């Protein structure tokens, strides 16, 4: 199968950059040492010290986890594109749209049930 320019752009450039941006946002908003508006504005603070001897180094385990997430995301996105392409080829635009809607509703159903069960456990 010959890859087009846009497939190469998506998988080799755009997807890794989008994931890097997403990981940076998740890291920023999950930090416990800053809060509120300080999470989005530095207010003149400097970046943490990452020189030798600093405790804030990213070791090989961190990069292995990041690589695993990137590979997993590429596999999931490729599966989504294959499913969407198959539905488009088989049933046209409306069939592909219907498949996406069914997948989104299924994901929302399981996500909401998991959240409701978690709330029940915490309330008990």
């Amino acid at each position: 199968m010959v890859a087009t320019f846009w497939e190469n752009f998506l998988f080799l450039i755009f997807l890794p950059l989008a994931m890097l941006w997403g990981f940076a946002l998740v890291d920023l908003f999950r930090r416990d040492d800053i809060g509120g508006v300080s999470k989005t504005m530095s207010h003149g603070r400097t970046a943490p010290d990452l020189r030798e001897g600093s405790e804030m180094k990213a070791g090989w385990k961190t990069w292995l986890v990041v690589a695993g997430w990137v590979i997993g995301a590429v596999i999931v996105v490729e599966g989504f594109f294959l499913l969407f392409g198959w539905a488009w080829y088989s049933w046209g635009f409306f069939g592909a749209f219907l498949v996406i809607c069914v997948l989104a509703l299924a994901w929302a159903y399981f996500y909401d049930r998991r959240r409701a069960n978690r709330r029940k456990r915490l309330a008990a």
Side-chain angles (χ1 to χ4, degrees), residues 21-34 56:
W21 181 72
F23 287 136
L25 284 178
V26 167
D27 180 55
L28 177 67
F29 286 102
R30 294 196 45 126
R31 290 181 61 167
D32 293 326
D33 58 336
I34 55 177
M56 293 189 63

Side-chain angles (χ1 to χ4, degrees), residues 6 11 26-27 49 66 76 79-80 86 101-103 107 111 116 124:
W6 293 111
F11 287 113
V26 167
D27 180 55
D49 185 16
V66 169
V76 167
F80 175 77
W86 167 79
C101 288
V102 167
L103 289 175
W107 177 78
Y111 180 80

